Amino acid sequence: MRQDDSGHVRQPEGGCPITSSFRSSGSVSSSVPSASTAAPAPGSVGARGEFAVIGRLTAGLAPGSATTLGPGDDAAVITAADGRVVASVDVLVDGVHFRTDWASGEQIGRRAALASMADIAAMGAVPTALLVGLTAPADIPEDLVLGLGRGLDAEAAAVGAGLVGGDLTRSEVLTISVTVLGDLRGAAPVTRSGARPGQVVAVAGRLGWAAAGLTVLSRGFRSPAAVVGAYRVPEPPLAQGPVAAAAGAGAMIDVSDGLLADLGHIAVASGVGVDVRTAQLPVAPRLAEVASALGRDPLEWVLTGGDDHALAATFAPDAVPDGWVVIGVVTDSDAGVVTVDGAARDTPGGWDHFTS
């Protein structure tokens, strides 16, 4: 139920502005036969038509500060004052990453934007522009699609970024692909490979809350609202990415698939070991109450739950910035291995789309 890791690509120094814009999918998608010959339901995307839906999606979008030409042409134009662009993409599929009976279109759109922007923050950058690829069945309600657009635009605008373009086509399953561009503002990118023995591991943001919400929803409940809301719309600490970079973070990652699993990516990339200390993990009283009511261990949610999109990073012991909580250490033994209180675990540390 969680996101895949995204790749991060830097534009070469002195590169050209990034270009794209909203458009229809062209002749390839229009040649796909309809799943049904029945007239489209009133209020559906099929009844409205793709160009009318695109027009309504793009009407009133808030331009980001880096946008010099927004939707309406074959491509948008985004400034890249730093000379480099950080780029990441996430794909969210109905029934895998979200369910439309669990969340509104606006909540799903907000979640898609925040999850994707968290990858940019994990590089130490600031999001500047979002591009969205949307595929949907013809009978999907237009209001749901418009809600997706509102949610995406709202979260982009909240950090000064713009929803500048995308693509809309027909498919059997609602799928949202979000590409985010970011600005390093002169700083070096923080990668997964910079962790060193002697550093501490720290996190910013919530852990375990979305996993608790997923457990609640999977059991057919809609409350407690705090954890259900955390699953529907995460609260990644986007501003802490650049803060960590400025503080000299060695390595950093977005916790999308589970704390242990994602720290494992840092351990492998850096050739180090990581030991997580459970006594230092933040477990909120409300999270513990929900776990007790459901007969679950809240530490399991914190250690292996994804979708909160907290940030995890390594720092020199005396350089941990405000807003970060130390939860472990980087070691020089067992390269690539993440232990908990010094012991290896024989259970999965998070989500994998093809093995979980």
Side-chain angles (χ1 to χ4, degrees):
M1 298 289 296
R2 302 174 180 83
Q3 316 293 335
D4 290 328
D5 289 333
S6 302
H8 304 275
V9 181
R10 278 200 305 157
Q11 183 186 13
E13 292 188 14
C16 298
I18 301 298
T19 62
S20 187
S21 191
F22 277 100
R23 56 188 173 85
S24 66
S25 56
S27 59
V28 173
S29 68
S30 63
S31 66
V32 177
S34 173
S36 172
T37 58
S44 68
V45 170
R48 173 73 67 172
E50 62 180 305
F51 297 106
V53 173
I54 290 173
R56 296 191 70 187
L57 277 171
T58 58
L61 291 179
S65 58
T67 305
T68 59
L69 180 64
D73 285 271
D74 284 348
V77 179
I78 311 301
T79 59
D82 180 85
R84 300 166 297 171
V85 174
V86 180
S88 179
V89 62
D90 270 318
V91 178
L92 291 79
V93 180
D94 189 6
V96 178
H97 303 92
F98 62 87
R99 281 176 43 172
T100 56
D101 59 335
W102 283 359
S104 68
E106 187 162 345
Q107 289 169 333
I108 295 167
R110 291 176 61 194
R111 178 180 176 177
L114 290 165
S116 301
M117 291 192 293
D119 286 321
I120 298 300
M123 299 296 288
V126 176
T128 56
L130 278 66
L131 304 165
V132 181
L134 180 65
T135 76
D139 62 356
I140 193 170
E142 182 188 13
D143 286 346
L144 175 60
V145 173
L146 295 178
L148 289 170
R150 287 193 301 271
L152 286 157
D153 181 50
E155 294 300 342
V159 296
L163 180 56
V164 300
D167 192 15
L168 174 64
T169 190
R170 188 174 66 229
S171 71
E172 295 301 312
V173 180
L174 175 61
T175 303
I176 311 163
S177 174
V178 183
T179 297
V180 185
L181 310 180
D183 184 0
L184 287 164
R185 296 184 175 179
V190 184
T191 67
R192 300 177 180 183
S193 59
R196 298 291 181 266
Q199 293 179 335
V200 296
V201 179
V203 295
R206 302 188 300 190
L207 292 170
W209 285 74
L214 174 60
T215 303
V216 169
L217 288 165
S218 298
R219 296 191 181 189
F221 302 109
R222 296 294 184 269
S223 62
V227 294
V228 171
Y231 176 77
R232 288 170 171 161
V233 182
E235 296 180 2
L238 301 179
Q240 287 295 334
V243 168
M252 186 157 49
I253 195 168
D254 159 38
V255 182
S256 58
D257 295 318
L259 178 64
L260 298 184
D262 288 317
L263 287 178
H265 297 316
I266 286 180
V268 169
S270 299
V272 297
V274 172
D275 186 48
V276 174
R277 310 287 170 79
T278 56
Q280 297 174 269
L281 287 170
V283 180
R286 185 57 173 146
L287 193 65
E289 291 172 6
V290 174
S292 178
L294 295 175
R296 300 292 295 269
D297 180 357
L299 272 178
E300 281 302 305
W301 287 336
V302 171
L303 288 169
T304 66
D307 289 331
D308 284 302
H309 299 284
L311 298 178
T314 67
F315 299 94
D318 59 353
V320 181
D322 291 341
W324 291 76
V325 177
V326 175
I327 62 161
V329 295
V330 181
T331 69
D332 58 4
S333 60
D334 298 321
V337 175
V338 178
T339 55
V340 178
D341 295 328
R345 286 169 51 103
D346 57 5
T347 55
W351 180 262
D352 183 301
H353 274 282
F354 295 98
T355 62
S356 297

